[in-house]
Amino acid sequence: MSEKTTSTTILLASGVTKTFTQDGLAAQALKGVSLSVGQGEFVSIVGRSGSGKSTLLSVLSTLLKPDQGQIIYNSADLAQATEAEINAVRHRDFAVIFQFHYLLPYLTALENTLLPFMRGLRPVSAEQRRRGLECLERVGLADKAARLPGQLSGGEQQRVAIARALVKDARILFADEPTGSLDSATGATVMELLAGIRGDGLSVVMVTHNEDYARLADRVVRMEDGLVV
Ligand SMILES: Nc1ncnc2c1ncn2[C@@H]1O[C@H](COP(=O)(O)OP(=O)(O)O)[C@@H](O)[C@H]1O
Ligand SMILES: [Mg+2]
């Protein structure tokens, strides 16, 4: 992949704060974080446990609303947007994968991949099905499309989760410790896959505490105690 000297910013967070209150105790998870993500860029976020990585990823991906600050996407501030606007962006442009993949156990690998297309009991179109198979092929699982998650290894299950993120042609893929539950060889395979899928159309923002994996990214952002350092 060719290195770009200039890159268009696709997502820009500035001055983001977030405090959690639990049992009367306040924990300031984000203390004013700013971060930009370029189009097609692979950014990794590293830092110790408790430094605020997951909170930042949740705020960037609109799963959590920040207390203060801006999240600019498509020249709109997602921190101020309505629920309907946020849902539209999240549905159309964002994909999220977690440490534990959240596949539905009674659906096949292909059906899990096609979940973003499914609306109630309406069957997906032949075109969508073809696209689902294409995405499974991209993650190296074309021959296992008919398997249930329980018949797949942990790494394969995580690759199905990646295929599911790819199927909707998202602009940004957010991943929180995607290799956290995998052994190192399997984790490395998943990482290479993530590093390979980013490109002009897709940015990847990944949280990890594995420094070797972080180095596969275009840029490493380090967090300490609620701040980017
Ligand atoms: N839902 C929550 N309720 C209360 N405190 C939370 C919640 N989520 C995170 N925190 C606190 O915010 C801080 C940052 O957590 P987190 O973003 O999960 O860190 P990391 O992902 O780097 O381990 C920690 O002190 C954590 O205990
Ligand atoms: Mg975390």
Side-chain angles (χ1 to χ4, degrees), residues 20-22 27 29 47-56 207:
F20 294 105
T21 311
Q22 209 171 28
R48 292 180 187 197
S49 174
S51 58
K53 306 182 298 296
S54 293
T55 306
L56 177 59
V207 164

Side-chain angles (χ1 to χ4, degrees), residues 140-158:
L141 289 178
D143 55 332
K144 294 181 176 164
R147 295 229 190 147
L148 294 172
Q151 301 167 321
L152 298 169
S153 71
E156 288 170 341
Q157 292 180 33
Q158 195 57 289

Side-chain angles (χ1 to χ4, degrees), residues 16-20 27-31 55 59 64-67:
V16 170
T17 67
K18 183 74 189 176
T19 298
F20 294 105
Q28 202 180 0
L30 299 176
K31 299 177 175 171
T55 306
V59 165
L64 263 184
K65 232 184 174 45
D67 297 333

Side-chain angles (χ1 to χ4, degrees), residues 1 20 34 44 49 80 84 86 159 169 177 204-205 223:
M1 196 156 298
F20 294 105
S34 300
S44 70
S49 174
Q80 301 296 333
I86 289 171
R159 278 147 64 191
D169 209 12
E177 306 268 7
V204 176
V205 184
M223 287 198 71

Side-chain angles (χ1 to χ4, degrees), residues 13-203:
S14 54
V16 170
T17 67
K18 183 74 189 176
T19 298
F20 294 105
T21 311
Q22 209 171 28
D23 305 326
L25 279 174
Q28 202 180 0
L30 299 176
K31 299 177 175 171
V33 170
S34 300
L35 175 72
S36 72
V37 179
Q39 191 174 325
E41 189 180 28
F42 181 6
V43 178
S44 70
I45 302 171
V46 298
R48 292 180 187 197
S49 174
S51 58
K53 306 182 298 296
S54 293
T55 306
L56 177 59
L57 202 78
S58 296
V59 165
L60 293 176
S61 61
T62 72
L63 297 176
L64 263 184
K65 232 184 174 45
D67 297 333
Q68 289 174 304
Q70 295 182 313
I71 314 281
I72 306 295
Y73 178 77
N74 265 350
S75 46
D77 183 2
L78 297 178
Q80 301 296 333
T82 64
E83 205 55 32
E85 290 166 335
I86 289 171
N87 283 337
V89 167
R90 196 192 294 161
H91 183 73
R92 194 187 57 227
D93 293 345
F94 290 2
V96 185
I97 60 178
F98 300 94
Q99 175 171 359
F100 300 100
H101 43 73
Y102 302 110
L103 301 182
L104 296 181
Y106 47 88
L107 296 183
T108 65
L110 178 60
E111 288 163 343
N112 268 288
T113 302
L114 291 171
L115 272 178
F117 293 143
M118 288 185 186
R119 295 284 168 273
L121 294 173
R122 208 144 45 91
V124 301
S125 68
E127 162 65 26
Q128 289 171 327
R129 211 184 140 76
R130 210 173 46 76
R131 171 139 182 96
L133 278 169
E134 209 177 273
C135 291
L136 277 180
E137 195 175 328
R138 276 176 79 183
V139 303
L141 289 178
D143 55 332
K144 294 181 176 164
R147 295 229 190 147
L148 294 172
Q151 301 167 321
L152 298 169
S153 71
E156 288 170 341
Q157 292 180 33
Q158 195 57 289
R159 278 147 64 191
V160 173
I162 294 171
R164 181 173 59 194
L166 292 175
V167 83
K168 67 184 215 181
D169 209 12
R171 309 300 311 281
I172 310 181
L173 173 62
F174 298 93
D176 193 351
E177 306 268 7
T179 59
S181 63
L182 306 175
D183 63 68
S184 61
T186 314
T189 313
V190 167
M191 276 309 308
E192 279 160 26
L193 189 60
L194 282 177
I197 58 174
R198 64 98 148 62
D200 281 345
L202 180 69
S203 309

